[in-house]
Amino acid sequence: MIHENIIDLVARRFQVLGEPCRLRILQALQGGDRSVNQIVAELGATQPNVSKHLQILFDAEFVTRDRCGNNIIYSITDPVVFKLCDLVCRSTARHAAHVQKYANEGRSRKLTGPNGRHRRSRTSSIQGVH
Amino acid sequence: MIHENIIDLVARRFQVLGEPCRLRILQALQGGDRSVNQIVAELGATQPNVSKHLQILFDAEFVTRDRCGNNIIYSITDPVVFKLCDLVCRSTARHAAHVQKYANEGRSRKLTGPNGRHRRSRTSSIQGVH
DNA sequence: TGACTATATAATTATACGCGCATATAGAAA
DNA sequence: TTTCTATATGCGCGTATAATTATATAGTCA
């Protein structure tokens, strides 16, 4: 149960993880600490974009950083973030399987009666409602 | 490690969780299955807004739904979502403690040399870099 | 000092998102 | 059928976000 006081902070941290580019950055750092340019090379993204995402990850305390001469080395703050990704990843794999399955059957179910009355097929028009 | 094929889906699911109102809805459902209006009453939000968030949660398969007469009853698809919230919640509590601490000390550190040269205070201008 | 490298930031633009309002739709009841 | 209740959806507005480009800042080396 999330306390109302911190629910905005929790949401914000989920939101920070809700960006493919940032997930890729975290994955790169899972392979070990990296400088900005190393991440840029690994992702094939632009340097300003990577820097900005790193700043966002830093503000959310998902990463820490240390200067090493001209380079700034970024590191994972807490490996628990990979546990999070793993959990979402598993259920997403199931989700993706469903999506794939529905894509192969009929598509685009909408809200309607439980038994498909006034419908030509037997698919209920509200997904998840039978 | 997240496979590149599903990284967008994983990010999307994190993003869906990155919204306070949706977290509140999930919390309400943690107390048991609810109809839309029950959730509306519990959150004090508008009905169209709750319906929209529920649709987003449904598309991401965080919730399922069943019609019961005039009511649509929403349920949690997989309690693993609460594990996610719990993990983020813990580290966010630590994060919040830091933020609180920094708020009490000096604020707004920016990028600068390691020893605060050309700065009036001794705070390093890049947070996390000493 | 000046040139060079690494990183951050500002300005811009395009897109996505959340909310409120009005309305449409589905089912139940009369 | 009509009416009522519950839920979903379309629209418009304001805001947030991400990517690009150009530029600023910090540090190193000569």
Side-chain angles (χ1 to χ4, degrees):
Chain A
M1 185 65 93
I2 309 174
H3 194 285
E4 183 60 30
N5 291 356
I6 65 165
I7 203 160
D8 284 3
L9 288 172
V10 172
R12 175 58 189 169
R13 302 195 87 211
F14 273 124
Q15 193 190 7
V16 168
L17 295 179
E19 168 59 45
C21 190
R22 288 195 283 268
L23 290 181
R24 289 192 189 95
I25 290 175
L26 291 174
Q27 280 203 138
L29 293 177
Q30 194 173 18
D33 301 352
R34 302 278 148 90
S35 72
V36 178
N37 270 347
Q38 285 176 323
I39 297 171
V40 166
E42 199 162 333
L43 299 202
T46 65
Q47 177 269 316
N49 202 21
V50 169
S51 271
K52 211 184 312 178
H53 284 306
L54 282 168
Q55 182 65 48
I56 291 168
L57 287 167
F58 179 83
D59 288 340
E61 297 203 351
F62 284 116
V63 300
T64 58
R65 59 188 174 199
D66 282 284
R67 181 177 289 277
C68 178
N70 248 347
N71 305 322
I72 310 283
I73 307 298
Y74 281 84
S75 321
I76 296 294
T77 301
D78 184 348
V80 77
V81 68
F82 299 119
K83 176 108 182 166
L84 288 172
C85 291
D86 192 51
L87 286 172
V88 174
C89 206
R90 286 172 207 256
S91 66
T92 301
R94 291 195 291 274
H95 179 196
H98 284 192
V99 170
Q100 191 66 28
K101 192 177 129 204
Y102 287 142
N104 295 343
E105 306 175 353
R107 290 303 351 290
S108 185
R109 294 106 172 277
K110 295 292 203 159
L111 263 179
T112 275
N115 296 323
R117 283 182 282 164
H118 358 89
R119 320 261 321 158
R120 24 187 172 30
S121 87
R122 73 192 182 294
T123 54
S124 163
S125 95
I126 176 176
Q127 301 180 46
V129 175
H130 325 291
Chain B
M1 186 66 93
I2 309 174
H3 194 286
E4 184 61 29
N5 291 357
I6 65 164
I7 203 161
D8 283 4
L9 288 173
V10 172
R12 176 57 189 168
R13 301 195 88 212
F14 273 124
Q15 194 189 3
V16 168
L17 295 179
E19 168 58 45
C21 191
R22 288 195 284 267
L23 290 182
R24 289 192 189 96
I25 290 175
L26 291 174
Q27 280 202 139
L29 292 176
Q30 192 173 18
D33 302 351
R34 302 280 149 91
S35 71
V36 178
N37 269 347
Q38 285 176 323
I39 298 171
V40 167
E42 199 162 332
L43 300 202
T46 66
Q47 177 270 316
N49 200 22
V50 169
S51 273
K52 259 178 274 190
H53 283 306
L54 283 168
Q55 182 64 48
I56 291 170
L57 288 166
F58 179 82
D59 288 340
E61 297 202 351
F62 284 117
V63 300
T64 59
R65 57 189 174 197
D66 282 283
R67 181 177 290 276
C68 178
N70 249 347
N71 304 322
I72 310 283
I73 307 297
Y74 281 84
S75 321
I76 295 293
T77 301
D78 184 349
V80 76
V81 68
F82 299 120
K83 176 108 181 169
L84 288 172
C85 292
D86 192 51
L87 285 173
V88 173
C89 206
R90 286 171 207 254
S91 66
T92 300
R94 291 194 292 273
H95 180 196
H98 285 194
V99 170
Q100 189 66 27
K101 192 177 130 203
Y102 287 141
N104 295 343
E105 309 174 354
R107 288 307 352 289
S108 185
R109 294 106 173 277
K110 296 290 204 160
L111 262 178
T112 274
N115 297 323
R117 282 183 281 163
H118 359 89
R119 320 266 313 162
R120 24 185 172 27
S121 89
R122 74 191 180 295
T123 53
S124 164
S125 94
I126 177 177
Q127 301 182 45
V129 175
H130 324 292

